[in-house]
DNA sequence: ACAAAAGTGTTCACTGTACACCCATGT
DNA sequence: ACATGGGTGTACAGTGAACACTTTTGT
């Protein structure tokens, strides 16, 4: 950093945040994309984003913008990476700080989808996108895989009550692979952060399967020692 | 992101890069810090940094600034995280993109240390620092630990030729722990990316120990399948 | 009765870890 | 001769991976 009296001579830039919002519909891992209704890139697919204001941090900006576009607060979000290529946005010099967010897909109402011209798109079929947004999604997918193996953030994508099959489907969707049911359940149950409920899910199968909850308290006790979820 | 004609109405900010430069002296993992010769924070410890110009990406800026301050090019560097608190720099709104870099400690000459009022400081004894620079160092240490377990970047901190003891000392310094010599060597040699040279190091011990080199070609063959170094 | 998902154990290979002594050489 | 770091093997426990059948119940 240079001397204070030189600060004014340096170049100033726009700071944007772009949010990679993941959701899970029980089958596929999806990202929430919007079709841009304005230039540049009108009609093209884009992430949700906006500019950071002078009186807010990027984290605060990301929270504000997500609230604006989804009405959701208190969602899991973390900074991913900053994209700084000179001409990534042809309209101006914009540094974009990408965030990735995990939401429960049912919290995002169909009305909002219409209102923002948004759609849930499977990560297996991400279309061409403006600027470097596809690169952002790729990186977010990568980071999600890393994180979900070591931290219990996958639960942010599931309802509060979920069956073990749903949990396995989620991990399979994230890693785009399949796991052996017995091995998966043994491992995930042995961690000891799932609480079995007395209630059964009765729609997805005839027999019905028990609901489980993520047990935050038990997790907090284990947290420091570093857990492998997968 | 908003419509193009609104771009001009958004706030513009200074973008800085700050570099966490790691080095290894055979004993301790160190960071290169400078004592600021200017305000704000004159006389305080600081990372090396500078402002990103309008005509360069942050990566390019980081490379330029590192070259400026160390004369070194072609060094390992990666973007770490962006620090965006409103008042992290009291003089102005500055978004700082932190980079971490790995250099061979002998490449940074003592003259440069004087010239920039710089010093190598053990990561075990990082002093109070300006702004959020200490937080940056903590995060960089964390990231280095993650990376070095999965990628062969530790070698960036060692001379081209190194002994297995030096390599073990490096990993021990990074993780601030000790490893069993036999287990460590078995694991690291079993990866098959170290090339034993005929030459021996004769200063550090009476018996002398063989030099090894990192074998880039062998690594590239194994790269895709994901290697665990530790 | 049958279809469809739930639930449940064992075996084996591999990996990680604990642990202690002899070797070569310069002084 | 001795001090110093270099170099080496084995046993055991824990983890990961492969693998198939029975149970429940709605239709």
């Amino acid at each position: 950093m240079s001397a204070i009296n030189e600060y004014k001579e340096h170049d100033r830039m726009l700071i944007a945040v772009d949010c990679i919002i993941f959701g899970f519909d029980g089958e596929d891992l999806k990202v929430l994309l919007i079709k841009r209704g304005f230039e540049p890139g009108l009609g093209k697919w884009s992430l949700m984003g906006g500019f950071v204001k002078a009186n807010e941090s990027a984290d605060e900006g990301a929270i504000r913008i997500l609230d604006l576009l989804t009405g959701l607060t208190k969602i899991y979000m973390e900074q991913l990476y900053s994209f700084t290529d000179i001409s990534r946005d042809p309209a101006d010099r914009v540094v974009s700080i990408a965030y990735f967010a995990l939401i429960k897909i049912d919290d995002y109402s169909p009305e909002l989808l219409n209102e923002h011209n948004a759609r849930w798109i499977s990560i297996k079929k991400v279309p061409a996108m403006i600027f470097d947004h596809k690169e952002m999604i790729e990186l977010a997918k990568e980071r999600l895989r890393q994180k979900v193996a070591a931290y219990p953030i996958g639960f942010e994508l599931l309802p509060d009550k979920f069956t073990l099959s749903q949990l396995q489907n989620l991990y399979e969707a994230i890693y785009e692979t399949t796991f052996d049911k017995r091995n998966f359940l043994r491992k995930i149950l042995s961690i000891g952060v799932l609480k079995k409920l007395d209630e059964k899910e009765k729609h997805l199968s005839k027999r019905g399967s028990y609901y489980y909850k993520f047990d935050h308290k038990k997790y907090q006790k284990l947290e420091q020692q570093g857990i492998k979820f997968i």
Side-chain angles (χ1 to χ4, degrees), chain A residues 110-125:
Chain A
E111 297 85 63
L112 276 167
L113 284 176
N114 277 328
E115 189 180 322
H116 292 109
N117 213 358
R119 262 185 65 194
W120 287 107
I121 311 264
S122 163
I123 54 158
K124 290 188 249 171
K125 297 177 199 163

Side-chain angles (χ1 to χ4, degrees), chain A residues 84-103:
Chain A
T84 67
D85 275 6
I86 309 176
S87 46
R88 52 174 298 284
D89 183 335
D92 205 330
R93 177 68 197 268
V94 181
V95 165
S96 174
I97 307 181
Y99 280 77
F100 86 88
L102 306 179
I103 73 176

